[in-house]
Structures are given as structure tokens and as C-alpha cells.
């Protein structure tokens, strides 16, 4: 008995004192749930890779915390007003634009080689090569020429003028002094021989505040300060990014002190974070940042029932999304009314809003001919029941919870919703991609600030067998006015005029309702109390782009 | 005996080739391809990009052509690159195979070391408090889901006591001590999860053996209980247990999936699962074929073990 009491006392004392934390070692250990498939910045697009590489390198331009485009590797953001961007008529009569960037004069790769325009030209050569393995060629293809003025200054001629003319997009510099020989030897094999994967701890791959010192595939990536970094000195002598895919194990690691923080970009789901905050809020800071992940339900407009806009509007009026967000997500995930985030400067607060109004939903369904209620389910004059199939990704706990609530609310107004969920791989790989969902498909879109919805709303982006299932307009929405607005927004440089076009687009979107907007997903960042300076962005530019600002409290 | 072994190995090789085609075909039949996964992660990917990437990865070829290309390269020792890790497949798989063999091997030996004596003791004292206790432990082991057990162990030994790491792999320069510390909880989980079934099997098999005439004869000859059990009953009781053990090798990789996931242990189970879900053909093919080879070899070894345990069994 005494032994048991002794053991209990030991457990209690250890519990109260807590396990040793990584905080006392000058190091920082971050937990994320995904391992990057490659560390080459231009091959594959993956959030885990962006998260890690943001500490070792910098894009030419990026969106900051206020979602404004700023220079990171360049010294001055080019614009028509400051003369660094000059529209030009191309030989075929179309309008292009010349944009001049100057690279940070002190930017230097970790092995001492300066970052120069040679890297810019090499990156372009790799990017536009059809067999280099670079995922998205479009941005590189649009560049007609690069005019090198000196080692740090260059001008790109782009084949069209869009409002994003001064954003560098996915143009991430590659070190020519390490990669050119490999690429030129065999462009097709480049993606498997790139130094980023063959020798990821090569210091010449980094020019950011940190460089990768060690990679254990699937397990962890270690980073150390880069001595050639030209900006503010980073605080931590070592950063370890550990990959723990299971979120229960991630939580246990956080509590045991094996990791210091869980990245909001790739960590807990919102419900896990809320439960964690309730239990351990006194030990950690939990920050919620609503972002650009748009949870919504795509409506298959080929479904005869959903072709009637009154039914679509009734579907939204029947939902109490505000209370759903409050009950399930602690109010941390704001309700969406259009596809534009309220944090985006082009968001229109006056766009039509479908508030929860069950009576209005019932009236609309009556008007649409679904007035005959039998056993609580509505039927039309032909005796057909108002039944809709509702699919999402099986095993996603948050979505399945939301789905149950929505199903119940629709049932209240006489809509019979049948759940048909599938594993993510089948749902996205087959059902959604080939528009094989019966009526409703719930998932999320990732986007960037002021992202033009061409791929999701333009009429030529509807996947079909004829176009080999390309495009992401899965609802099958066609509207010449929407096409016109998308075309106009892309080329409108005047912000005020563009804001008006965006306003029209959001109004049209809300009126036509090809999609039921649900909410904006929030990133829950779980930080130790002592960590200061981490500011979530809410967009695809990860918080690690400003890792040099992270500090230990008082350090 | 030698000709039998050669015959079994040749048969195994044929099964392996057949399995490679089946696995390749089944992976090919799964919805979506690696480029679809890229599209879902990157909305900027244009249809032209998707077509170009499909051609670049050979995904625009018929499945038979792709299999032929893969087999031709594999026969020359080129198992390709992993799409998920951007490394040669063998560089990813071999260390993980080692991790799984260590994890499963230690759990396996521990489970046997506990189950065989516990099953024998329970069989020797049926319907006593000892038998009841052993059965209770066995049923608890069978009933507790491994993922729940894993969480309980993590909370107790990593979070509350702080004695053991909550998961992950030991640092490469951590030495044997760190390796064993990281191994402790996954091994405990796997051992506890598998020991229950083995105890029940050993107990039933031993009770059956103890009822046989030759055991009664041995006892009548005045042999001690120890000699009767070890020298006569146990050897026969082990034959069905060996069958179960050989079959359980087939689940060597899949069985460790939950444990590997919960503890972040980089093993084969998790790697095969991720490679299939992530459409990593090269990795999935070799991973599944290694699992097939293991199962086939385990069955050949089981056949040989039968002959060793029971001299009446002879192979020609």
C-alpha cells in the first residue's frame, strides 16, 4: 500500500512540475502533420513544403499580414505609378507589360554565392521547360523575355496586363550555381536529381534566416541559422519541424514537451483546438486565424431539382449557419456569404445574405412546386419526393458533424437529404472531379487574397469527358455575365473600378447560388506562452515567412 | 527435403510475379492519379499542365505498357523514385523495413515469451484462479483497441510521468539508449495487443494435447509433469500455434499500421498505407511485394517447422 501511495505521490509531483520542455535549450520544435514530398520549391505544390521553405528562402513578393502585396526579396514593389512597370504593345498588337525588380543587394546563398539575376534567368529556363517536372508552367509561359540589367536588376516582359502584374507568384529562385549542371545534363531527370532532394542540407540552397541542416524523411527536418542571412537575426539556434500525422499523438507530444508548438497551417482541426484550449488553455496560447479556406457545398446544377433557383435559396434559408458555427466551432469560423473572404479588401458587405428563415424556405419550396408534405417529406405534383444526395469526405470528423446538423435542419423544412460519403481519395479523385455527385458535395477551396474564381465559375471550366475532365467548375454553372466579370476583373488595374466589378461578381454569385457558402475555416495555432512574434496570416503565405521575428519572451 | 524447398521457392517466385501484376493493376484501378492529387492541392494547375505532367510521369500510357516498363526497370535493379519522398524507393523502404522488423520482432518475441508459458500454465490448472487470471488478461488484450491502448500509454508514460518519449523516431545520433526508449511504448502496445490471442490459442492447444493417450502413457510411466509437458505435450501443441504464427506474418505490415501511426514510428505499415493513398506507384509496388515475400517465406519456414516439431511429417 505504501508503495502504491509512493508511486501516486511521484506521479503527482511529476505532473505538477511537468516534463522537461524544449524551451530551455535555445531550440524550437514545431509539430506539423505532413511531410513535404519534395523540397524543390518549384516542383509540386504542398503546404508542408511552403511552411519549411519559408524559413530558408524568400519569394520576390508576398502578401503580408494585412493581405497587401509587399516586396520580400525585391527592394521596391514595381508599379505603373512608380515607373517600374511599363505597359507595352506587343508585336501581335496585344498589350503586355515590362516589370522591373531589383533584388536585395545583400541576398546571398548560404555557401557565400550571391543571389543574382543569373538565378532568375535559370529559374525561368527550368520553369518553362515542358519536361522539367515543374507543376504549373502558366506563370513562366506568360514571361516573353527577361532583360538582365546587372547582377541584381532585371526586367520581365509579360504577355498580358492583369492586376497581378507585379506579383511574382510561384517564381521561386533556384540556385543556378548548384542546379544548372544537373538540369542541363538531363532536364527530364531534373525532378529526381535536384540538389534540394539529393542533398537537402547543402547550405547553397538557402538564403533565408535559416538553412536545413538535416532531413529524416517522413520524420523531421532540422534547421540552423544561415550565416549569410541579410535581415534581422533569428532568435533560435535550432528549429526542428517534426512530422506527426496523427493529431492525438500530436497533442500528446505537445503536452509531454516533445514539441513546443503546433502549426496552425498544418495542425489541429478547429474542434480539437477548442477542446484542447478548454483543457490546457492555461499552459498554452491558442490563436485562431480565419483564413482563405472556404468550406462550401457545390450544387450539381445538372440535377433537375437544383436547377430551380428557388430551391437553392430555400436550401440556404433553411440553414442556421450562425448557430452551427457557434455550437461546433466556438464562433471561431465566420459564416461565409460569398466566395470572397471578409478579410479581403474586395469583399462586399452589401452582397445579398440568406439569413436563417425556415418560414421563407418553406414558402420558396411551396412556390417551386414542392408543396405536398407526406411523412414530413415534400413531394411535387408528380408525386416525386424532394430527396437530395449529400456527399463529403468520409472520416473527416468536422465535416461529418456539420453534415449531420445540415441534414437535420433541411429535414425540418421537408427536404430529405441522403448522406453518401466517400474516402477523400475517391471523393476528389472521381466523384467531384467528374461531377458524379448526385446533388450536394461539401468540401473546401484554398485561395489567395483577391483570387479570381476563373477555374471554379467560368463557363469553359466545367469538367466533361470532351475536355478530359479538366476545370474545376464542378457545379456546372454557366452565366455569360459571370464570364464577363471574371474577364474584366483580371485586366482592370484601377483598384476602385475593380472593387465595383468584384461587388457585381459577389452579388451575382449570391443571387444565382451555384454554391452554398458555409464558413471560413480558421487555423488554430497552439503556442507556448513564452513564444512571441508569431503572427498568423490566414492566407497561403505561411507564418514562417517572418520566422526571424519569433522570439522567446524576454529574449 | 532440399528438392521440396527449391520447389516451394520456385512456386513463391511465380506467385510473386503474379502478385506484382495484380497489385499494379489494382493500384491503377483506384480512382484518380497522382496528377489529380496535384490538381486538388494547386488550383492554378491548368488542364495543359495536367496533360503535360501525365505524359511526363507516363500516366497517359495503357496500364499493361506501364507495368511492362516498371517490370523491365525493376529486373535491372531500378525500382524508381518515390513520388511522396523524392528519394529512390529502396532508400526509403529499407530503413523502414528494418524499423518494422525490429518493432514487430521484439513484440513478437515478447508476446511469445509471455503467451506460451501463460497458456501452458492456464491449461495445466484449468478452472482455477490462475486460469481465470490468465484468461482475464488474455481477454483484456484481445478487447482493448490498440489505438486506445496507445493513447493511454502515451498519457501515462509520456505526458504524466515523462519517462518515455510520446512518439517519433530517435535522433540519428541518439545511440541505442534513445532507440530503446522510443521503442518502448510501441512495443508495449503491440505486445499487449497480440498476447491475448496467443495465450488463448496456446491454452486451447495445450489442453487438447494433455488429453491425448500418449500424455496419459507418459504420466503412467512416471515422468515428471515438467518432462510430460515440455518433452511430449508442448511439442505437439505448438503445431497449430506455428500455423497461426505463420499466417500472422501476413499481417506483419498492416498490423503495425495503427501503432506506427500513433507513435510516429517510421515503419512499413504506415509507408505502404501512405503510398497507396498518395498514389505513389513505385513505393506501393515494392512495399506490397516485400510484404508478399515475407508472407511466402514465413509459410515455407512454417512448413519446415512442422517437420521439426513432428518427426512423422516428411516432405518429398
Amino acid at each position: 500500500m505504501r508503495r502504491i501511495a509512493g508511486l501516486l505521490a511521484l506521479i503527482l509531483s511529476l505532473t505538477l512540475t511537468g516534463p522537461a520542455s524544449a524551451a530551455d535549450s535555445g531550440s524550437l520544435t514545431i509539430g506539423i502533420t505532413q511531410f513535404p514530398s519534395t523540397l524543390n520549391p518549384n516542383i509540386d505544390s504542398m503546404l508542408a513544403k511552403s511552411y519549411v521553405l519559408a524559413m530558408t528562402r524568400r519569394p520576390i513578393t508576398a502578401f503580408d499580414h494585412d493581405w497587401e502585396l509587399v516586396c520580400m526579396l525585391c527592394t521596391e514593389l514595381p508599379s505603373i505609378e512608380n515607373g517600374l512597370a511599363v505597359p507595352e504593345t506587343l508585336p501581335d498588337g496585344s498589350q503586355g507589360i515590362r516589370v522591373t525588380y531589383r533584388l536585395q543587394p545583400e541576398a546571398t546563398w548560404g555557401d557565400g554565392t550571391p543571389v543574382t539575376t543569373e538565378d532568375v534567368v535559370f529559374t525561368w529556363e527550368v520553369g518553362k521547360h515542358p519536361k522539367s517536372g515543374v507543376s504549373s508552367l502558366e506563370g513562366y509561359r506568360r514571361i516573353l523575355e527577361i532583360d538582365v540589367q546587372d547582377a541584381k536588376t532585371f526586367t520581365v516582359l509579360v504577355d498580358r496586363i492583369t492586376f497581378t502584374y507585379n506579383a511574382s507568384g510561384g517564381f521561386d529562385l533556384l540556385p543556378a550555381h548548384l542546379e544548372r549542371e544537373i538540369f542541363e545534363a538531363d532536364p527530364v531527370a531534373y525532378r529526381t536529381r535536384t540538389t534540394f532532394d539529393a542533398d537537402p542540407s547543402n547550405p547553397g540552397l538557402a538564403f533565408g534566416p535559416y538553412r536545413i541542416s538535416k532531413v529524416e524523411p517522413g520524420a523531421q527536418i532540422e534547421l540552423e541559422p544561415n550565416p549569410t542571412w541579410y535581415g534581422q537575426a533569428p532568435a533560435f539556434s535550432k528549429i526542428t519541424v517534426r512530422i506527426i500525422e496523427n493529431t492525438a499523438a500530436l497533442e500528446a507530444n505537445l503536452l509531454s514537451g516533445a514539441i513546443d508548438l503546433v502549426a496552425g497551417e498544418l495542425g489541429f482541426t478547429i474542434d480539437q483546438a477548442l477542446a484542447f484550449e478548454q483543457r490546457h488553455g492555461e499552459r498554452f496560447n491558442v490563436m485562431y486565424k480565419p483564413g482563405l479556406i472556404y468550406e462550401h457545398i457545390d450544387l450539381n446544377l445538372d440535377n433537375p431539382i437544383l436547377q430551380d433557383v428557388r430551391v437553392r435559396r430555400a436550401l440556404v434559408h433553411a440553414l442556421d449557419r450562425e448557430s452551427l458555427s457557434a455550437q461546433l466551432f466556438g464562433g471561431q469560423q465566420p459564416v461565409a456569404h460569398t466566395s470572397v473572404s471578409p478579410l479581403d479588401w474586395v469583399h462586399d458587405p452589401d452582397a445579398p445574405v440568406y439569413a436563417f428563415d425556415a418560414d421563407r424556405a418553406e414558402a420558396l419550396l411551396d412556390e417551386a412546386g414542392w408543396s405536398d408534405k407526406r411523412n414530413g417529406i415534400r413531394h411535387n405534383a408528380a408525386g416525386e419526393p424532394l430527396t437530395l444526395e449529400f456527399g463529403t469526405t468520409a472520416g473527416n470528423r468536422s465535416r461529418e458533424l456539420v453534415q449531420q446538423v445540415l441534414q437535420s435542419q433541411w429535414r425540418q423544412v421537408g427536404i430529405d437529404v441522403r448522406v453518401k460519403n466517400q474516402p477523400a481519395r475517391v471523393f476528389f479523385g472521381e466523384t467531384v472531379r467528374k461531377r458524379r455527385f448526385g446533388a450536394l458535395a461539401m468540401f473546401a477551396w484554398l485561395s489567395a487574397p483577391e483570387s479570381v474564381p476563373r477555374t471554379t465559375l467560368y463557363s469553359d471550366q466545367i469538367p466533361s469527358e470532351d475536355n478530359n475532365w479538366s476545370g474545376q467548375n464542378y457545379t456546372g454553372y454557366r452565366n455569360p455575365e459571370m464570364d464577363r466579370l471574371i474577364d474584366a476583373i483580371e485586366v482592370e488595374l484601377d483598384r476602385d473600378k475593380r472593387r465595383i466589378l468584384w461587388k457585381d461578381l459577389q452579388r451575382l454569385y449570391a443571387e444565382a447560388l451555384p454554391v452554398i457558402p458555409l464558413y471560413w475555416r480558421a487555423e488554430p495555432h497552439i503556442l507556448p506562452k513564452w513564444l512571441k512574434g508569431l503572427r498568423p496570416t490566414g492566407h497561403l503565405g505561411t507564418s514562417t515567412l517572418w520566422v526571424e521575428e519569433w522570439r522567446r519572451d524576454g529574449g | 527435403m532440399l528438392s521440396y524447398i527449391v520447389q516451394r521457392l520456385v512456386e513463391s517466385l511465380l506467385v510473386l510475379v503474379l502478385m506484382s501484376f495484380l497489385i499494379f493493376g489494382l493500384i491503377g484501378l483506384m480512382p484518380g492519379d497522382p496528377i489529380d492529387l496535384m490538381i486538388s492541392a494547386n488550383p492554378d494547375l491548368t488542364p495543359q499542365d495536367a496533360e503535360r505532367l501525365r505524359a511526363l510521369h507516363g500516366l497517359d500510357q495503357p496500364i499493361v505498357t506501364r507495368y511492362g516498363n516498371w517490370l523491365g526497370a525493376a529486373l535491372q535493379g531500378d525500382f524508381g523514385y518515390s513520388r511522396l519522398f523524392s528519394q529512390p524507393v529502396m532508400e526509403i523502404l529499407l530503413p523502414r523495413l528494418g524499423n518494422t522488423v525490429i518493432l514487430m520482432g521484439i513484440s513478437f518475441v515478447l508476446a511469445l515469451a509471455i503467451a506460451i508459458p501463460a497458456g501452458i500454465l492456464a491449461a495445466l490448472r484449468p478452472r482455477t484462479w490462475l486460469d481465470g487470471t490468465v484468461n482475464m488478461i488474455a481477454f483484456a488484450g484481445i478487447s482493448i483497441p490498440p489505438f486506445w491502448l496507445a493513447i493511454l500509454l502515451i498519457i501515462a508514460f509520456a505526458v504524466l510521468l515523462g519517462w518515455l518519449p510520446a512518439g517519433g523516431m530517435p535522433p540519428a545520433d541518439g545511440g541505442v539508449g534513445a532507440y530503446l526508449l522510443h521503442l518502448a511504448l510501441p512495443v508495449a502496445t503491440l505486445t499487449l495487443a497480440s498476447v491475448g490471442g496467443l495465450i488463448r490459442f496456446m491454452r486451447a492447444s495445450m489442453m487438447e494435447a494433455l488429453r491425448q493417450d500418449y500424455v496419459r502413457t507418459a504420466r503412467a510411466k512416471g515422468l515428471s509433469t515438467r518432462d510430460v509437458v515440455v518433452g511430449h505435450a508442448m511439442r505437439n501443441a505448438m503445431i497449430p500455434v506455428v500455423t497461426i504464427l505463420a499466417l500472422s506474418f501476413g499481417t506483419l505490415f498492416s498490423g503495425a499500421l495503427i501503432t506506427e501511426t500513433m507513435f510516429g514510428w517510421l515503419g512499413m505499415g504506415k509507408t505502404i498505407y501512405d503510398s497507396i493513398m498518395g498514389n505513389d506507384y513505385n513505393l506501393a509496388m515494392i512495399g506490397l511485394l516485400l510484404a508478399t515475400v515475407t508472407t511466402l517465406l514465413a509459410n515455407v519456414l512454417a512448413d519446415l517447422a512442422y517437420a521439426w516439431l513432428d518427426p512423422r511429417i516428411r516432405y518429398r
Side-chain angles (χ1 to χ4, degrees), chain A residues 426-555:
Chain A
V426 180
F427 185 69
F428 291 119
E430 190 75 16
T431 307
V432 173
R433 187 173 77 91
K434 295 186 178 174
R435 305 188 62 232
R436 290 193 174 143
F437 55 103
L440 316 169
M442 178 164 60
F443 57 100
W445 282 126
L446 286 151
S447 63
E450 204 181 348
S451 174
V452 182
R454 173 173 286 279
T455 58
T456 54
L457 291 176
Y458 208 87
S459 57
D460 67 0
Q461 296 290 317
I462 301 171
S464 68
E465 197 156 10
D466 294 340
N467 66 12
N468 202 15
W469 308 110
S470 63
Q472 293 171 320
N473 184 347
Y474 301 132
T475 63
Y477 176 65
R478 291 165 206 276
N479 187 327
E481 175 61 6
M482 181 62 82
D483 293 352
R484 186 193 69 76
L485 285 167
I486 289 171
D487 288 336
I489 286 171
E490 281 182 338
V491 297
E492 181 55 67
L493 304 184
D494 185 295
R495 277 170 74 102
D496 292 335
K497 289 180 184 166
R498 204 157 74 241
R499 190 198 288 271
I500 293 168
L501 292 168
W502 272 107
K503 188 181 170 77
D504 291 345
L505 184 144
Q506 289 168 81
R507 178 192 45 76
L508 187 57
Y509 184 85
E511 283 174 2
L513 274 183
V515 167
I516 297 177
L518 289 177
Y519 48 86
W520 295 97
R521 220 193 280 170
E523 297 171 348
H525 296 255
I526 319 286
L527 318 178
K529 294 275 186 192
W530 49 261
L531 183 67
K532 304 294 172 198
L534 189 156
R535 288 183 295 156
T537 65
H539 55 68
L540 287 177
T542 61
S543 53
T544 45
L545 272 175
W546 293 271
V547 68
E548 66 272 27
E549 295 174 5
W550 298 8
R551 287 280 182 279
R552 193 180 302 280
D553 195 14

Side-chain angles (χ1 to χ4, degrees), chain B residues 20-214:
Chain B
S20 73
F21 182 71
L22 277 177
I23 293 168
F24 201 94
L26 286 172
I27 296 175
L29 285 176
M30 287 171 68
D33 61 28
I35 311 306
D36 291 328
L37 297 183
M38 280 188 202
I39 293 169
S40 65
N42 181 4
D44 293 335
L45 218 60
T46 63
Q48 293 76 20
D49 286 329
E51 286 311 304
R52 175 182 55 82
L53 290 168
R54 280 201 176 89
L56 190 62
H57 291 266
L59 297 166
D60 56 345
Q61 301 288 320
I63 192 117
V64 177
T65 311
R66 280 155 57 193
Y67 174 72
N69 293 341
W70 176 85
L71 189 65
L75 288 173
Q76 292 172 48
D78 177 8
F79 299 107
Y81 266 72
S82 158
R83 198 187 73 79
L84 290 180
F85 296 97
S86 296
Q87 301 282 333
V89 161
M90 280 309 190
E91 280 185 27
I92 295 295
L93 280 182
L94 288 181
R96 287 162 192 243
L97 181 64
N99 290 337
T100 291
V101 167
I102 290 169
L103 170 66
M104 297 297 285
I106 295 176
S107 311
F108 206 59
V109 170
L110 277 178
L112 282 179
I114 296 168
I116 291 176
I120 291 172
L121 284 174
L124 288 172
R125 305 266 189 279
R127 288 175 291 283
T128 60
W129 67 269
L130 179 71
D131 186 30
T133 308
V134 169
N135 274 324
M136 197 177 71
I137 293 168
F139 282 123
I142 294 166
S143 312
I144 295 174
F147 68 89
W148 188 66
L149 181 63
I151 290 175
L152 283 187
L153 291 176
I154 290 172
I155 290 171
F157 293 98
V159 177
L160 292 178
L161 297 171
W163 291 348
L164 295 167
M169 298 301 294
D173 52 0
V176 180
Y179 197 85
L180 291 177
L181 279 179
H182 280 78
L183 203 54
L185 291 181
V187 163
T189 306
L190 269 178
T191 305
L192 291 171
S194 58
V195 78
L198 284 175
I199 287 177
R200 293 290 301 162
F201 219 87
M202 192 65 214
R203 178 184 176 276
S205 187
M206 196 65 190
M207 285 181 82
E208 179 65 25
L210 289 171
R211 279 197 290 268
Q212 298 301 312
D213 289 345
Y214 62 84

Side-chain angles (χ1 to χ4, degrees), chain A residues 21-91:
Chain A
S21 167
D24 53 15
S25 62
S27 66
L28 178 72
T29 306
I30 304 169
I32 63 172
T33 54
Q34 193 182 55
F35 186 79
S37 62
T38 170
L39 289 168
N40 186 303
N42 293 340
I43 295 173
D44 251 4
S45 169
M46 203 173 186
L47 192 50
K49 182 178 74 174
S50 307
Y51 188 83
V52 173
L53 290 189
M55 294 187 261
T56 67
R57 45 193 298 112
R58 293 291 142 92
I60 296 173
T61 66
F63 287 101
D64 67 6
H65 298 90
D66 300 319
W67 298 20
E68 290 293 336
L69 193 69
V70 294
C71 261
M72 291 210 97
L73 184 57
C74 56
T75 53
E76 187 179 3
L77 193 66
S79 70
I80 293 171
E81 292 73 27
N82 67 16
L84 290 173
V86 181
E88 180 174 313
T89 304
L90 301 174

